[in-house]
Amino acid sequence: MKIIDLSVTIEDSTPCDPPSMPTKIDYWGHEKGAEHMRQFFPTATDKDLPEGLGWSIEYVQLTTHSGTHLDAPWHYHPTMNKGEPARTIDHIPLEWCFSDGVKLDFSKVPGEGGKITIAHLEAELDRIGYSLKPLDIVVIHTGAMKHWGTTAYTSAGCGMSREATLYLLERGIKVVGTDAWSWDRPLSLIAEEFEKTGDSSLIWEGHFAGIEREYYHMEKMNNLDQLPPFGFKIACFPVKIKAASAGWCRPVAMFDL
């Protein structure tokens, strides 16, 4: 079996998130770990530890939306399926997190900052010769990952419209993903349009589609350019965080050789 990692690495002080969502990692090395160990073994001295060194530990401060993660319906709204209580990430049916993968390539069309429409989806599905089936895991390659590691990443790539999102959900899709910062178009571009037009339907339209139909999406995926259109499995089990709007995950694509 061949496995491709579809996640990014969680790093200290990454510039790939806005300042309001900082990621901080405090690394405790083996010397500091020895001091920590002596809290558990108060009579131990340096000679009782290998070369006087103890364990290493990292203290991490981040949001559930840092790094590659899977959003739950609770992130979008308190309700889903037109009125049901929205599920949090600890209640996702795990069967939905392992299924056939489908990659749709929008790295060139509709272009940077563009909106993916139903017409785009149908054209791409026709190009690759694939018909969606229930529980396929559909990932959107926007090309945004080429900006990873820079402040440009949050405004890179294209995003899904409400109608395009519902198109997938109406075909039984439950889990989707993108290599961009958001399932929607870059928020900065949406904000500019909203300021000019006052059209509130522009705001977070792809996410808010989850109010109508339950779905989960991954953001900040990696290596989507290495995937074929189909013929592989995706596994994307999230960390189980009680009552949370998202959970970190390490999605992988698996190929039988």
Side-chain angles (χ1 to χ4, degrees), residues 17 36 43 95-96 99 111 125 136 172 179 199-200 219 222 248:
D17 282 314
H36 194 211
T43 60
E95 296 81 4
W96 296 354
S99 193
L125 288 166
D136 280 344
D179 57 356
D199 182 0
S200 60
E219 294 169 327
N222 195 17
W248 311 287

Side-chain angles (χ1 to χ4, degrees), residues 16-17 65 67 69 71 75-76 114 116 140 142 144-145 148 153-161 177-188 190 203-208 215 217-221:
C16 299
D17 282 314
H65 301 266
H69 61 280
D71 282 347
H75 179 49
Y76 324 140
I116 299 170
I140 305 297
T142 73
M145 196 47 62
W148 183 255
Y153 176 72
T154 57
S155 298
C158 51
M160 293 286 286
S161 66
T178 178
D179 57 356
W181 190 81
S182 174
W183 180 248
D184 279 82
R185 291 183 301 148
L187 298 186
S188 57
I190 299 173
I203 298 176
W204 231 36
E205 58 179 304
H207 282 72
F208 283 153
Y215 87 106
H217 67 240
M218 290 173 279
E219 294 169 327
K220 305 178 196 173
M221 300 185 76

Side-chain angles (χ1 to χ4, degrees), residues 162-255:
R162 170 185 170 275
E163 291 76 16
T165 302
L166 290 173
Y167 177 93
L168 298 178
L169 307 187
E170 288 162 359
R171 282 152 182 79
I173 306 302
K174 296 295 187 181
V175 176
V176 295
T178 178
D179 57 356
W181 190 81
S182 174
W183 180 248
D184 279 82
R185 291 183 301 148
L187 298 186
S188 57
L189 299 182
I190 299 173
E192 289 178 11
E193 282 191 35
F194 174 64
E195 186 176 349
K196 292 177 182 176
T197 66
D199 182 0
S200 60
S201 70
L202 297 169
I203 298 176
W204 231 36
E205 58 179 304
H207 282 72
F208 283 153
I211 299 172
E212 300 177 54
R213 285 181 178 264
E214 177 183 11
Y215 87 106
Y216 302 73
H217 67 240
M218 290 173 279
E219 294 169 327
K220 305 178 196 173
M221 300 185 76
N222 195 17
N223 295 325
L224 297 187
D225 57 323
Q226 297 184 30
L227 300 180
F230 53 90
F232 56 94
K233 296 279 190 182
I234 288 181
C236 55
F237 299 101
V239 173
K240 192 176 182 181
I241 307 170
K242 185 174 181 179
S245 63
W248 311 287
C249 67
R250 189 173 188 177
V252 297
M254 295 173 283
F255 301 80

Side-chain angles (χ1 to χ4, degrees), residues 116-130:
I116 299 170
T117 65
I118 292 175
H120 289 124
L121 290 180
E122 291 181 334
E124 177 64 2
L125 288 166
D126 183 63
R127 184 187 73 83
I128 66 175
Y130 190 84

